Amino acid sequence: MAGLGAWNLAGAALIILLFPRSLEQCGHISLSAPIIRLGDPITASCIISQNCSHLGSESHIVWKLEAELQPGERQQYLPNGTLQSTITLPHLNRSRALLSCCLHWGNSLQILDQAELQAGYPPATPHNLSCLMNLTTNSLTCQWEPGPNTHLSTNFTLKSFKSRGNCQSQEDPIPDCVPEDGQSHCSIPRKHLQLYQNTGIWVQAKNALGTSVSPKLCLVPMDVVKLEPPTLWALGPSPEVAPPQPGCLRLRWETWKPSLHIDQKCELRHQPRLGEASWDLVGALPSRTLQYELCGLLPSTAYALQMRCTRWRLPGHWSNWSPSLELTTTQRAPIVRLDTWWRQRQLDPRTVDVQLFWQPVPLEEDSGQIQGYLVSWRPSDQAGADPMLCNTTELNCTFQLPSEAREVILEAYNTAGTSHPTPVVFLESGGPPLGRLHTMARDPHSLWVGWEPPSPQPRGYVIEWGIGPPSPSGSPKTWRMEHNGSIAGTLLQENIRPFQLYEITVTPLYQDTKGPSQHIYAYSQEMAPSHGPELHLRHIGKTWAQLEWVPEAPELGKSPLTHYTIFWTNAQDQSFYTVLNASSHSFVLRGLEPSTLYHVHLMAASQAWATNSTSLTLMTLALEESELHILLGLFGLLVLLICLCGAAQLCCRPRKNPLWPSVPDPAHSSLGSWVPTITTEDTFQLPSLRDSSMPPITKITVLEEEEKKPGPWESNDSSGTCGLPSLVQAYVLQGDPRVPCTQPQPQSGTSDQVLYVQVLGSPTGPGPGHYLRCDSTQPLLGGLTPSPKSYENLWFQTSPLGTPDPLVPNPEDDCIFEPLLDFPLLQGLRVSGVEGLGGF
């Protein structure tokens, strides 16, 4: 739309160039209201004068709000011939928008006139009106909160008047005070005020949509006066005044000169310059004193101080806090306990070299700052001041004493004085020693040292630790005193680094003596071994290899080994490994393949790390020729045994072909195995097949899964064999075998038929068997073959008319009985198992 607007403006400019005079005063926009409430509707109309009628009767006015076309305009011709278009914007949600009246001219829009729409809200009621009488500017300054934005130009005016009552009646008006644009405060000059007379004050807000006023404020200007803060100064030393005590500050202040005639009260607050402590407030201070001593502060600490004041016994406002004044409290003598330790070295029979160490322990929270230490010694035969041995800021001192000296004095000092003297008595070694000194590393930066307390119980212990040999003898050591003689260990956390050997010394302290010092060496964290042992091949076979290695000697600072891991890989990149304890020095690899290359390496591991040793490549021995022959012979015997077992299994079980169903062999068949399961409803009684007058019957039948409807030739006569149930007829033929079947022949020689063969014969009789062939309505083959020879199957022979040739003297019978001496398929048939048919 913005691009369209730009194009339209360009088109309008083009038309104006073409018609500079004809469209200048052509149209005019009239608004229902120049300024409306935000969200309200607004109606605008555009009228095209008569001098624009030559633009055409089909001219159409289009409205645009900013760059958006506005639908819904109504256009009509007025009686005076002018064209008028009216549009209503239902919801104007913009505080400022430009509405344009345009006319179609060719393929572009010509802007005829434009009007600016304004929308906003009426002014809210100003609130939180407050005023202060400023004696510096000599004016009454009032401020307020204007409320939410109205989106319109809003004018604020501070109005006031003088009143003798409670501002209910107005006496003398005061000129209005108009603030600058965007400001919400205004000042009334002193010349328009009576300082001790009531004044009514309020704020008026006005814009195009309405006017609002704040609640009136009735006040006396002097009751809202705000003084200027005082100026703070440090109170210097004076011969008449003693210096301040430790932890105290002395200060003074000067009030603001225009307020000298006003009684005031002031507040003081202080805060340490270092740290994040909050301000501490001191109660009201009378301004007439103009000086104050602040105590209860930390000694030798810098503080920031501020003060503010207000009218006393009369209403008023607190002044702002004064600029900060920084002062430092005086020091106090150190209040500390000095723990001491020493080392002595005999220089000659009359002189001893002493190295004294100490550690300050604060006894109070504000123990005072220490600026230095003094070490002095007073000979027993000398009076007066003690000779100074050391004056140092360090925590140790070295000096020489006569061999008979047994005590020195140690003191801490600062500008306020010295601490209580600490006597240092050089004890002789005569007490019982400690029992079983031991250490344990808690982490890489700490060590636990423990011991068994001796008897009698000491009054304390001195623990020293430092870097062990081969460090220089003069390397610094860290020490600590434990005053609890009942403890059995302590944790050392200062100056402990990993992979560093430390020498730890523990000395028990008794009342008048000390015990012998005991030493122990320890690591907070040990390093891994620098290298692993070298791997060697000792013996090798066809399927095994014996490896050995010499363990490395323990190294100082190295963690002892905990286990070994052996890895080996064959030519197929198959990896194997085994883990051995640290006491193992050899290992036998078993289960290897003959004549195979292997890569072996050994890894030595400790609690700190693991290190690989040198790799080893080996090849197992090959098999000998005799062993190869034995293996090949055993393999041949195994193959032969498998073949024999397979042949025996095939010969001993019935032949079965898994690729197609098993079909009974007529030459090796049993009548009992051909008989299907007879259900209860098909059970019937038959003459015994053991009757010598009734030859056994065998029938080969092809059955379909579907049930066939009986044909017209199937008889229901129960007197004949063919009249029996279909299941019985399929297997047994009753009656005289030489009597032909009563089934009629099909009507057509082309009817589909399936020929069944019934074989009759005695399994024990010497004579050959007979067969009976019957026609059926189901096809057995796709077409009938010519008549077989004397050695062929007889049911494939057909007559010229397509019907089977009769093989008995009666040409109309379908069942023919005749010896089949020359039928190859049935000559080998022997019927057995007929005794199983007695259940029929």
Side-chain angles (χ1 to χ4, degrees):
M1 295 300 293
L4 179 61
W7 168 255
N8 293 338
L9 291 176
L14 179 61
I15 294 176
I16 290 174
L17 290 176
L18 293 176
F19 303 97
R21 294 296 180 184
S22 60
L23 297 178
E24 280 186 356
Q25 305 296 329
C26 194
H28 175 68
I29 296 178
S30 299
L31 300 176
S32 60
I35 300 175
I36 63 172
R37 192 181 183 95
L38 196 64
D40 286 355
I42 186 172
T43 301
S45 61
C46 182
I47 299 177
I48 300 178
S49 60
Q50 294 180 357
N51 57 0
C52 295
S53 59
H54 64 277
L55 296 177
S57 60
E58 300 298 331
S59 300
H60 183 70
I61 297 176
V62 178
W63 292 91
K64 291 178 61 179
L65 184 64
E66 295 294 343
E68 300 177 3
L69 294 176
Q70 298 297 318
E73 69 279 356
R74 300 183 300 276
Q75 185 169 314
Q76 62 180 350
Y77 281 94
L78 300 179
N80 58 3
T82 60
L83 179 62
Q84 181 184 31
S85 177
T86 305
I87 187 173
T88 299
L89 303 177
H91 302 286
L92 184 59
N93 295 323
R94 305 178 185 181
S95 60
R96 288 182 178 272
L98 192 63
L99 183 64
S100 304
C101 174
C102 306
L103 185 68
H104 275 292
W105 184 265
N107 295 328
S108 63
L109 289 177
Q110 171 64 40
I111 299 177
L112 302 180
D113 194 14
Q114 290 182 325
E116 184 179 13
L117 306 182
Q118 296 187 39
Y121 298 103
T125 301
H127 56 285
N128 290 344
L129 176 62
S130 62
C131 299
L132 295 175
M133 185 64 194
N134 194 330
L135 298 181
T136 303
T137 60
N138 207 16
S139 61
L140 181 65
T141 302
C142 298
Q143 61 182 6
W144 61 90
E145 294 183 12
N149 186 14
T150 62
H151 303 287
L152 297 175
S153 176
T154 304
N155 299 321
F156 293 90
T157 304
L158 181 64
K159 293 181 173 295
S160 58
F161 62 88
K162 300 175 185 178
S163 176
R164 294 189 181 276
N166 295 328
C167 300
Q168 299 298 325
S169 61
Q170 179 177 349
E171 292 185 359
D172 297 328
I174 299 176
D176 294 341
C177 182
V178 179
E180 297 180 1
D181 292 341
Q183 300 294 332
S184 57
H185 60 83
C186 195
S187 298
I188 302 174
R190 164 72 178 81
K191 62 182 180 179
H192 301 306
L193 299 174
Q194 293 292 337
L195 295 182
Y196 295 94
Q197 184 180 2
N198 284 335
T199 302
I201 303 174
W202 73 96
V203 179
Q204 174 184 287
K206 184 178 182 180
N207 63 12
L209 296 180
T211 303
S212 63
V213 294
S214 67
K216 289 182 179 180
L217 184 65
C218 188
L219 54 85
V220 176
M222 283 303 295
D223 289 345
V224 293
V225 67
K226 181 178 180 179
L227 304 178
E228 290 296 321
T231 303
L232 293 178
W233 302 90
L235 187 61
S238 174
E240 294 81 9
V241 181
Q245 296 295 321
C248 292
L249 291 175
R250 289 179 180 175
L251 69 153
R252 64 183 182 88
W253 62 91
E254 294 179 359
T255 58
W256 183 51
K257 292 182 179 180
S259 62
L260 291 176
H261 64 282
I262 301 176
D263 291 338
Q264 303 176 27
K265 64 178 179 180
C266 301
E267 288 182 347
L268 179 68
R269 66 178 184 178
H270 57 85
Q271 180 188 38
R273 296 299 299 168
L274 300 178
E276 299 180 355
S278 59
W279 289 94
D280 291 331
L281 186 65
V282 181
L285 304 177
S287 62
R288 298 299 181 184
T289 58
L290 300 180
Q291 63 181 8
Y292 185 72
E293 183 176 10
L294 180 63
C295 293
L297 306 178
L298 298 176
S300 187
T301 304
Y303 282 88
L305 299 97
Q306 292 180 344
M307 180 177 284
R308 67 178 182 176
C309 298
T310 185
R311 296 176 70 194
W312 185 42
R313 296 179 181 178
L314 292 175
H317 291 276
W318 284 100
S319 67
N320 295 329
W321 288 102
S322 66
S324 296
L325 172 66
E326 293 189 8
L327 296 177
T328 303
T329 57
T330 57
Q331 293 184 349
R332 62 189 305 181
I335 305 176
V336 294
R337 183 191 72 224
L338 297 175
D339 293 336
T340 58
W341 182 240
W342 67 94
R343 296 193 189 101
Q344 289 182 335
R345 183 168 58 91
Q346 191 76 35
L347 296 179
D348 54 56
R350 301 183 58 183
T351 307
V352 178
D353 185 77
V354 180
Q355 189 176 11
L356 183 64
F357 306 92
W358 58 86
Q359 290 178 349
V361 180
L363 298 180
E364 296 180 6
E365 184 179 358
D366 303 328
S367 59
Q369 184 179 3
I370 299 176
Q371 296 180 345
Y373 299 92
L374 297 175
V375 180
S376 59
W377 169 65
R378 177 184 298 176
S380 58
D381 56 351
Q382 182 178 352
D386 299 338
M388 189 69 60
L389 299 177
C390 291
N391 184 358
T392 180
T393 57
E394 303 293 332
L395 296 178
N396 60 83
C397 178
T398 301
F399 50 88
Q400 296 179 0
L401 288 176
S403 300
E404 63 272 10
R406 291 291 179 266
E407 181 179 344
V408 294
I409 302 299
L410 176 64
E411 295 174 310
Y413 69 89
N414 58 20
T415 56
T418 60
S419 63
H420 292 287
T422 301
V424 180
V425 179
F426 304 117
L427 301 176
E428 298 290 341
S429 297
L434 297 175
R436 208 179 69 84
L437 186 64
H438 58 278
T439 61
M440 180 178 62
R442 291 289 182 89
D443 55 66
H445 297 280
S446 66
L447 278 171
W448 170 265
V449 55
W451 56 83
E452 293 181 359
S455 180
Q457 178 177 305
R459 63 177 177 89
Y461 303 92
V462 174
I463 301 96
E464 297 178 274
W465 67 94
I467 298 176
S471 63
S473 58
S475 59
K477 289 189 176 183
T478 306
W479 68 280
R480 186 171 72 204
M481 179 175 288
E482 295 290 346
H483 294 272
N484 186 1
S486 61
I487 63 173
T490 184
L491 183 64
L492 308 180
Q493 295 178 298
E494 301 175 22
N495 302 327
I496 299 294
R497 294 178 298 173
F499 314 125
Q500 183 67 55
L501 179 64
Y502 288 93
E503 180 184 8
I504 304 173
T505 304
V506 181
T507 304
L509 300 178
Y510 299 94
Q511 189 64 33
D512 296 323
T513 185
K514 65 177 183 177
S517 301
Q518 295 193 10
H519 309 270
I520 193 172
Y521 297 90
Y523 288 88
S524 63
Q525 183 178 358
E526 296 177 315
M527 292 185 293
S530 56
H531 58 274
E534 187 176 357
L535 193 62
H536 299 281
L537 177 64
R538 185 173 183 180
H539 300 290
I540 192 170
K542 302 177 183 64
T543 60
W544 60 274
Q546 184 178 6
L547 308 174
E548 67 176 4
W549 59 91
V550 178
E552 297 291 333
E555 299 180 64
L556 192 62
K558 310 296 183 180
S559 178
L561 297 179
T562 57
H563 62 275
Y564 296 101
T565 305
I566 298 180
F567 301 88
W568 67 95
T569 306
N570 58 16
Q572 291 76 28
D573 289 335
Q574 294 178 335
S575 300
F576 311 90
Y577 73 94
T578 184
V579 180
L580 308 174
N581 56 35
S583 61
S584 301
H585 300 160
S586 63
F587 183 72
V588 177
L589 304 180
R590 302 187 184 276
L592 307 180
E593 297 179 3
S595 186
T596 304
L597 189 68
Y598 288 90
H599 299 280
V600 187
H601 71 272
L602 178 68
M603 182 179 71
S606 65
Q607 292 182 351
W609 209 255
T611 304
N612 290 332
S613 68
T614 56
S615 298
L616 180 65
T617 302
L618 56 88
M619 176 175 284
T620 54
L621 301 180
L623 293 175
E624 297 180 0
E625 186 176 359
S626 59
E627 295 176 343
L628 186 61
H629 291 167
I630 293 174
L631 290 178
L632 292 177
L634 293 177
F635 180 74
L637 290 177
L638 179 61
V639 173
L640 180 61
L641 181 61
I642 292 174
C643 294
L644 291 177
C645 292
Q649 184 178 10
L650 293 176
C651 294
C652 295
R653 69 176 183 179
R655 296 179 181 178
K656 290 186 179 179
N657 195 329
L659 300 179
W660 52 80
S662 178
V663 178
D665 187 1
H668 300 84
S669 62
S670 174
L671 181 61
S673 62
W674 290 9
V675 177
T677 304
I678 304 301
T679 59
T680 305
E681 57 187 26
D682 293 333
T683 303
F684 54 90
Q685 298 295 329
L686 292 175
S688 176
L689 295 178
R690 298 184 183 276
D691 190 357
S692 58
S693 62
M694 185 63 186
I697 300 171
T698 303
K699 183 176 182 179
I700 301 175
T701 307
V702 178
L703 299 178
E704 295 291 332
E705 291 182 1
E706 300 180 0
E707 287 187 22
K708 301 296 182 177
K709 295 182 180 181
W713 56 81
E714 293 182 1
S715 174
N716 294 330
D717 189 2
S718 61
S719 60
T721 303
C722 296
L724 291 175
S726 59
L727 183 61
V728 180
Q729 291 185 24
Y731 292 91
V732 180
L733 178 65
Q734 296 184 11
D736 190 354
R738 289 170 178 77
V739 178
C741 265
T742 59
Q743 292 181 352
Q745 293 182 359
Q747 301 297 326
S748 174
T750 62
S751 175
D752 296 337
Q753 298 178 357
V754 176
L755 304 180
Y756 297 88
V757 177
Q758 296 177 348
V759 182
L760 294 87
S762 174
T764 58
H770 297 74
Y771 81 99
L772 172 64
R773 184 182 68 182
C774 295
D775 293 339
S776 175
T777 61
Q778 300 296 329
L780 185 61
L781 297 173
L784 298 178
T785 60
S787 176
K789 303 299 182 177
S790 60
Y791 53 84
E792 293 176 345
N793 197 338
L794 299 181
W795 64 60
F796 289 96
Q797 183 177 356
T798 59
S799 63
L801 298 177
T803 59
D805 293 335
L807 300 179
V808 294
N810 188 0
E812 298 178 357
D813 291 339
D814 291 332
C815 301
I816 301 173
F817 298 90
E818 173 179 303
L820 301 176
L821 300 177
D822 54 354
F823 194 15
L825 182 61
L826 299 179
Q827 279 182 353
L829 180 63
R830 295 293 183 268
V831 179
S832 62
V834 296
E835 65 276 0
L837 299 176
F840 272 70

